[in-house]
Amino acid sequence: MTEADQSRPSALWSQQSTPASAEIAEPEITRLLNLADQCVKCGYCLPHCPTFKLARDEGESPRGRIALIQGWLSGAIDDGPRLQRHLDQCLECRACEPSCPSLVRYGALMDGARAVREHGRSRWQRGLRRARLALLTGSTGLRLLAAFGIGYRWLRLPPSLIERLSRHWPVIRVVDPLARALRWPRKRLACDQSKVSRRVAEGRPALFRGCIARLTDQPLEDAALRLMTRLGEPVEIPEEQQCCGAIHRHNGHPDQADRLLRTNTEAFSGRTIVGLASACVAELREQGHLDSVEICRFLLDLPWPASAYLRPLSATVAVHEPCSHRNQLRDQTAVYQLLQRIPELLVTPLPGNETCCGAAGTYLTEHPEIALTLAAPKVDALKQLRPDYLVTTNTGCALHLAAQLRDAGLETQVLHPIQLIEQQLCIANPPASQLRGSQTNEQT
């Protein structure tokens, strides 16, 4: 960076400083400009960006957004509606990062830029946005959401009315299935604490529940507890744990995200964190929790009891690869390897896995038209495949895709991979034919 470039953040600050933006230090602007300068504008990211493929607009590509951030933070362009639109419509799917020859940390750059913009808002705007995030992640907010879901189902709105409303307000097509999926949060999961206490003392794993998943993924939590216990690895569930903070960080509130991270660090006190949602695990790992592991990888690496085996399942399962699993953890193969342990199960990737489904945290409620457009090709692919199951390792993706499948009239069941594993698991002496088949698989 030249001497002239280094002076630009100071010029920007002297022109645009406000009581809110004063909380952002000048070194942070310099840090973001240094991150942006890593981009050589080669364009390798363009074919991998979902919003660019939809809009064919340079401002909707990673390269274009980086150029806009550079111009804005250096004072060359103003923070106007067009800049806001391009930055807001980024999914932060991070599909650009694996393809970048310069190893640009695009996710960190986008999070930082959004934080700067957030600090430039008025106090009441920031307060409203913080309240919205608290509604999705805090204990009080989750109870309010659950009450809303219960009341919404009680109304029993006819599908024809929902269809008419969604023509005018596309967000209805997103909010309706989400509201129907909400359940009252349970204070404590039913796990055998007598089996857990000894293992906790030995530093054994603890289960990370997430936030919105407490309302929508209760059957998954139950399946995880049963599965881990039957495999001889019961887990603790720290009651003090909070949201992983990803939603806050991606929406420009890193201070809140860091507070949640500190709370979780204390709650888990050095134990291995086993996460059910790939996005939560990705956030924890990126913020320094290297002892966080996605549950499919954990089960794959876990020594199973000699008496444990999986019953055959003559079915087809399509695997959806969430962006957090594919582009951040980069370990989606663990899902395939785990499912392939089920005899007779045909495991196939969902076509188009390289492109985001449109869920992307809070994105589907903020940009429903784009979210629905991105989900459509996946529904079309499932119409062709007609699998018995669709599995995914992320909560938002599961809700989004399940809703679109119902709208399309498809009966494909959407599950987490470990729900299939738990469904087929037996702890007993397997049949001789099963033993021979297992031995043959191990030899190959």
Side-chain angles (χ1 to χ4, degrees), residues 123-247:
R123 190 176 298 275
W124 71 268
Q125 286 177 318
R126 294 169 67 197
L128 284 177
R129 291 169 68 84
R130 284 178 182 268
R132 178 176 67 94
L133 296 178
L135 184 66
L136 297 171
T137 60
S139 56
T140 301
L142 291 176
R143 286 193 289 270
L144 288 173
L145 271 184
F148 166 73
I150 293 170
Y152 186 85
R153 289 193 299 276
W154 179 80
L155 290 175
R156 297 183 180 178
L157 299 177
S160 57
L161 175 60
I162 299 299
E163 177 63 28
R164 286 198 300 272
L165 291 174
S166 64
R167 292 173 189 168
H168 302 284
W169 300 288
V171 71
I172 297 293
R173 284 188 60 192
V174 171
V175 172
D176 174 71
L178 291 180
R180 295 180 187 278
L182 298 172
R183 297 295 182 268
W184 192 259
R186 296 175 294 187
K187 182 178 180 180
R188 189 178 185 88
L189 296 186
C191 60
D192 190 343
Q193 293 298 320
S194 65
K195 295 182 179 180
V196 170
S197 57
R198 176 178 59 84
R199 293 181 176 272
V200 169
E202 299 171 356
R204 301 305 292 231
L207 189 69
F208 191 83
R209 300 182 63 192
C211 46
I212 196 70
R214 302 185 188 197
L215 309 185
T216 62
D217 273 353
Q218 293 174 1
L220 169 59
E221 291 182 334
D222 292 337
L225 289 177
R226 290 192 301 265
L227 180 59
M228 298 284 281
T229 301
R230 293 173 70 193
L231 290 177
E233 199 68 60
V235 292
E236 188 197 14
I237 308 160
E239 293 186 13
E240 301 82 6
Q241 64 178 290
Q242 300 290 326
C243 169
C244 69
I247 288 179

Side-chain angles (χ1 to χ4, degrees), residues 4-14 26 29-30 33 73-74:
D5 290 333
Q6 292 175 347
S7 68
R8 285 174 181 169
S10 299
L12 173 68
W13 231 237
S14 64
E26 182 178 321
I29 302 298
T30 303
L33 284 171
L73 294 182
S74 64

Side-chain angles (χ1 to χ4, degrees), residues 3 63 99 120 259 280 355 383:
E3 185 176 343
R63 179 176 69 178
S99 66
R259 280 198 294 270
C280 295
T355 302
K383 287 179 180 178

Side-chain angles (χ1 to χ4, degrees), residues 169-337:
W169 300 288
V171 71
I172 297 293
R173 284 188 60 192
V174 171
V175 172
D176 174 71
L178 291 180
R180 295 180 187 278
L182 298 172
R183 297 295 182 268
W184 192 259
R186 296 175 294 187
K187 182 178 180 180
R188 189 178 185 88
L189 296 186
C191 60
D192 190 343
Q193 293 298 320
S194 65
K195 295 182 179 180
V196 170
S197 57
R198 176 178 59 84
R199 293 181 176 272
V200 169
E202 299 171 356
R204 301 305 292 231
L207 189 69
F208 191 83
R209 300 182 63 192
C211 46
I212 196 70
R214 302 185 188 197
L215 309 185
T216 62
D217 273 353
Q218 293 174 1
L220 169 59
E221 291 182 334
D222 292 337
L225 289 177
R226 290 192 301 265
L227 180 59
M228 298 284 281
T229 301
R230 293 173 70 193
L231 290 177
E233 199 68 60
V235 292
E236 188 197 14
I237 308 160
E239 293 186 13
E240 301 82 6
Q241 64 178 290
Q242 300 290 326
C243 169
C244 69
I247 288 179
H248 303 82
R249 199 174 303 279
H250 300 331
N251 281 277
H253 293 275
D255 53 337
Q256 282 186 290
D258 290 341
R259 280 198 294 270
L260 292 168
L261 183 67
R262 288 192 292 270
T263 300
N264 286 322
T265 299
E266 184 176 342
F268 286 90
S269 62
R271 293 189 288 273
T272 297
I273 303 173
V274 180
L276 300 176
S278 55
C280 295
V281 177
E283 172 67 13
L284 292 171
R285 286 183 67 86
E286 290 198 343
Q287 302 310 317
H289 274 284
L290 299 180
D291 55 348
S292 305
V293 59
E294 191 273 326
I295 193 168
C296 291
R297 168 53 63 187
F298 182 84
L299 293 175
L300 194 63
D301 294 343
L302 180 72
W304 287 23
S307 59
Y309 73 99
L310 296 170
R311 292 175 298 168
L313 178 62
S314 182
T316 300
V317 57
V319 177
H320 169 258
E321 301 173 11
C323 300
S324 52
H325 214 151
R326 183 184 179 93
N327 302 323
Q328 290 177 263
L329 296 177
R330 303 189 189 184
D331 188 31
Q332 68 272 25
T333 56
V335 176
Y336 295 91
Q337 292 170 356

Side-chain angles (χ1 to χ4, degrees), residues 27 32 164 172 201 262 271 344 369 372 401:
L32 294 176
R164 286 198 300 272
I172 297 293
R262 288 192 292 270
R271 293 189 288 273
E344 299 182 17
E369 291 179 316
L372 293 169
L401 292 172

